[in-house]
Amino acid sequence: MNSPMDDAKIFSCEFFPPQTEAGMEKLLIVRNELDENMHPAFYSVTFGAGGTNRDRTLDAVDRLREDNASVAPHISCIGSTRDQLKELIERYIDRGVNRLVTLRGDIPEGGPGANDFNHANELVAFIREQTGDHFHIEVAAYPEYHPESATPESDFQYFKRKIESGADSAITQYFYNIDAYLRFIENCQKANLDVPVVPGIMPITNYKGLVRFSDNCGAEIPRWIRKQLEAYEDDIDSLIDFGTDVVTSLCSRLLESGAPGLHFYTLNQSQVTLEIWRRLNS
Ligand code: FAD
């Protein structure tokens, strides 16, 4: 039997584009620390909601790639026209980028603005039509369902449509219920969707921020985790220790269950991700 950490698994890390040069310098240090200890297959860089900060994503991609790191920009269709997206995709091709995380994007307060594509499947189809097989296209998957989805069934059918439009693999929204992921994988198998679906992993480093974010994106924090985090709210060392334990155990069980890799939402920090990595390898 292959080891749960075998070489075929894809481990990747996500960053957001820093707002300042100081933040960028710090992020380059974080990337170096991850490179040295974990050797991620690629780093992904998020895209501002509603097409905002398009250039900031591009700038961060350029800086992160300076030392030959493999970088996958996120690109979302909300708030961008077809021409703006075409130009952005061409800029990535010029730079030698060959992997994109392709999304609809969160709808900003005040509405979606000018956009020619309403859903991620349309953007996937557009990228394929314009660039053939140049890009490895990742899309988002939601084992606990997207918060706007009409029904679980329709959410899955729309996920299927993204794959059928030309996506190569998927990264999930983070979750702490492994059964939700395993069920999602079963549904993919039943629907003959033969693409890797890599679990998105959110390390736990604070209580209130995690609760707020999870409420917004529809990720459930199980009661036994939430209650313990609440109790540790003023004891950050115990909170991080407990959170790291919980997330390491989740990662370990996911890999043993056949997950094709892990995608870490690093929040531009290396420490906790590397501690999970160390524990997984010990
Ligand atoms: P879609 O796949 O378009 O789905 C959105 C909703 O519409 C779902 O409820 C779905 O059921 C429904 N739907 C899908 N297709 C159709 C259709 N054809 N007709 C009708 N309904 C449909 N957000 C950012 O702003 N920037 C980022 O960089 C970013 N990175 C992310 C990375 C990952 C790995 C994940 C999981 C999420 C990320 N997000 C990001 C958040 C994401 O943009 C939001 O969850 C967004 O609300 C949905 O994007 P999507 O690509 O999943 O959209």
Side-chain angles (χ1 to χ4, degrees):
M1 196 180 118
N2 290 338
S3 142
M5 300 296 287
D6 73 40
D7 289 347
K9 307 251 185 208
I10 306 156
F11 298 101
S12 52
C13 292
E14 183 168 310
F15 297 141
F16 57 85
Q19 298 198 16
T20 61
E21 177 55 26
M24 191 65 231
E25 295 292 334
K26 192 170 156 275
L27 184 58
L28 290 171
I29 294 171
V30 165
R31 187 213 53 191
N32 288 345
E33 287 164 352
L34 292 165
D35 256 352
E36 275 163 31
N37 295 286
M38 190 180 163
H39 318 296
F42 66 91
Y43 299 96
S44 80
V45 183
T46 61
F47 191 77
T52 54
N53 310 327
R54 200 176 287 121
D55 286 343
R56 220 189 278 152
T57 301
L58 204 79
D59 290 346
V61 168
D62 283 345
R63 297 292 293 280
L64 289 162
R65 292 184 79 240
E66 273 166 14
D67 299 319
N68 293 325
S70 174
V71 180
H74 295 205
I75 180 168
S76 72
C77 55
I78 280 293
S80 295
T81 62
R82 170 190 288 261
D83 288 345
Q84 285 169 326
L85 290 163
K86 188 165 187 276
E87 192 202 326
L88 184 59
I89 294 161
E90 279 163 4
R91 290 167 84 180
Y92 284 132
I93 291 178
D94 290 346
R95 283 163 165 77
V97 168
N98 56 14
R99 186 185 283 261
L100 291 174
V101 181
T102 304
L103 305 143
R104 181 196 72 177
D106 277 326
I107 299 176
E109 276 176 36
N115 48 284
D116 288 322
F117 304 115
N118 292 318
H119 287 287
N121 67 290
E122 297 166 37
L123 181 57
V124 172
F126 178 68
I127 295 172
R128 279 285 174 249
E129 175 203 302
Q130 295 288 316
T131 68
D133 287 337
H134 177 85
F135 290 107
H136 179 110
I137 299 182
E138 306 266 4
V139 289
Y142 300 86
E144 295 181 317
Y145 312 117
H146 185 265
E148 291 164 37
S149 62
T151 64
E153 177 60 21
S154 70
D155 207 34
F156 186 76
Q157 289 306 321
Y158 288 133
F159 171 72
K160 186 165 177 263
R161 198 178 288 184
K162 290 195 277 198
I163 303 301
E164 289 168 350
S165 300
D168 298 290
S169 51
I171 300 172
T172 75
Q173 182 57 277
Y174 69 89
F175 55 87
Y176 299 106
N177 292 307
I178 189 169
D179 285 341
Y181 172 78
L182 297 178
R183 179 88 182 175
F184 190 88
I185 296 301
E186 251 179 65
N187 288 341
C188 289
Q189 285 162 352
K190 282 185 200 152
N192 294 319
L193 292 183
D194 188 20
V195 295
V197 179
V198 174
I201 303 297
M202 180 65 87
I204 298 177
T205 55
N206 74 49
Y207 170 64
K208 284 210 174 85
L210 184 71
V211 168
R212 194 175 49 245
F213 197 57
S214 303
D215 285 347
N216 282 339
C217 73
E220 186 187 53
I221 308 174
R223 181 179 162 84
W224 66 275
I225 299 178
R226 187 186 278 251
K227 284 294 208 190
Q228 187 63 79
L229 294 178
E230 192 180 357
Y232 284 145
E233 196 182 349
D234 298 322
D235 176 0
I236 192 70
D237 289 345
S238 299
L239 185 146
I240 290 180
D241 196 42
F242 169 73
T244 305
D245 227 35
V246 166
V247 175
T248 306
S249 162
L250 174 68
C251 292
S252 174
R253 290 164 66 212
L254 282 164
L255 293 169
E256 280 164 13
S257 306
L262 301 169
H263 178 79
F264 290 94
Y265 295 110
T266 69
L267 304 180
N268 291 8
Q269 306 284 328
S270 60
Q271 217 178 344
V272 180
T273 297
L274 284 177
E275 179 56 21
I276 295 168
W277 185 252
R278 191 188 65 72
R279 293 187 194 187
L280 283 174
N281 283 283
S282 65

